[in-house]
Amino acid sequence: CILVSNGPDTMLIDAGNNEDGPKLVSYLQSAGVEDIDYLVGTHPHEDHIGGMDDILNSYDVGCLVMPDKAANTKTYQEVIEAAGNKNLPVTVPEEGQTWQVGEANCQVFSCEAEDTGDFNQWSVVIRMTIGEVSFLFTGDQTIENEQNITEAGYNVQATFYKAAHHG
């Protein structure tokens, strides 16, 4: 997972495996995180959303962002149930959508794919810029995502790059 803290705002991208949830909550508490403005589940694999139910149960979350791709897994259902318990709807991002985390501008590059059964193709890809510094967060994007992003003409140059699919 990746924690972005900018001014009073926070964004958490992914939340590790199921067993990582309590450790992640403990880390966030020790870091002084009081709430989370954006909680992004890049795609519904357990190693990306496993700890999200713990985050949702422990924090006020402003916006839960996940692709329009449901999984038939206990992990996914636990995330949806935790969000429902807080009356927090899932926000499905759209390509080109933007939002602010403090002074940082976030833009969604990819979040839709053909339904091949590969959840990685549904990874939410975000480019974040603050001043002259940029970050590219890629989830587990596939080569098809990369091709779609470059063909769409998005600026993929970044100061920092989170390598897709765990490097």
Side-chain angles (χ1 to χ4, degrees):
C1 64
I2 297 169
L3 174 65
V4 174
S5 179
N6 190 278
D9 297 338
T10 56
M11 174 172 64
L12 183 67
I13 302 174
D14 290 332
N17 293 294
N18 286 315
E19 64 271 9
D20 298 327
K23 291 182 283 189
L24 181 54
V25 168
S26 177
Y27 170 78
L28 294 173
Q29 289 171 340
S30 70
V33 173
E34 295 180 9
D35 56 32
I36 296 173
D37 296 288
Y38 293 93
L39 178 60
V40 180
T42 58
H43 63 289
H45 278 154
E46 186 263 342
D47 61 328
H48 288 260
I49 65 167
M52 281 197 172
D53 57 328
D54 292 288
I55 299 299
L56 289 162
N57 291 330
S58 301
Y59 283 93
D60 287 332
V61 173
C63 184
L64 174 60
V65 178
M66 295 176 68
D68 190 18
K69 189 66 178 167
N72 189 19
T73 64
K74 182 179 181 207
T75 298
Y76 180 81
Q77 294 306 317
E78 289 171 345
V79 172
I80 297 303
E81 182 179 306
N85 289 341
K86 294 233 176 150
N87 294 318
L88 180 65
V90 173
T91 298
V92 176
E94 296 180 19
E95 289 191 33
Q97 178 180 357
T98 62
W99 64 78
Q100 295 291 127
V101 178
E103 296 178 10
N105 182 55
C106 298
Q107 183 177 20
V108 176
F109 281 1
S110 178
C111 56
E112 300 173 3
E114 291 182 29
D115 196 359
T116 64
D118 182 0
F119 287 145
N120 294 328
Q121 284 188 273
W122 290 83
S123 286
V124 177
V125 176
I126 299 170
R127 184 170 188 264
M128 183 178 78
T129 57
I130 182 164
E132 298 295 319
V133 179
S134 57
F135 302 81
L136 189 59
F137 304 115
T138 59
D140 281 353
Q141 76 175 0
T142 64
I143 190 140
E144 289 83 4
N145 297 101
E146 291 175 357
Q147 290 169 341
N148 291 341
I149 289 168
T150 55
E151 288 172 6
Y154 288 113
N155 177 6
V156 295
Q157 291 184 336
T159 312
F160 296 94
Y161 170 68
K162 183 271 178 194
H165 209 254
H166 314 276

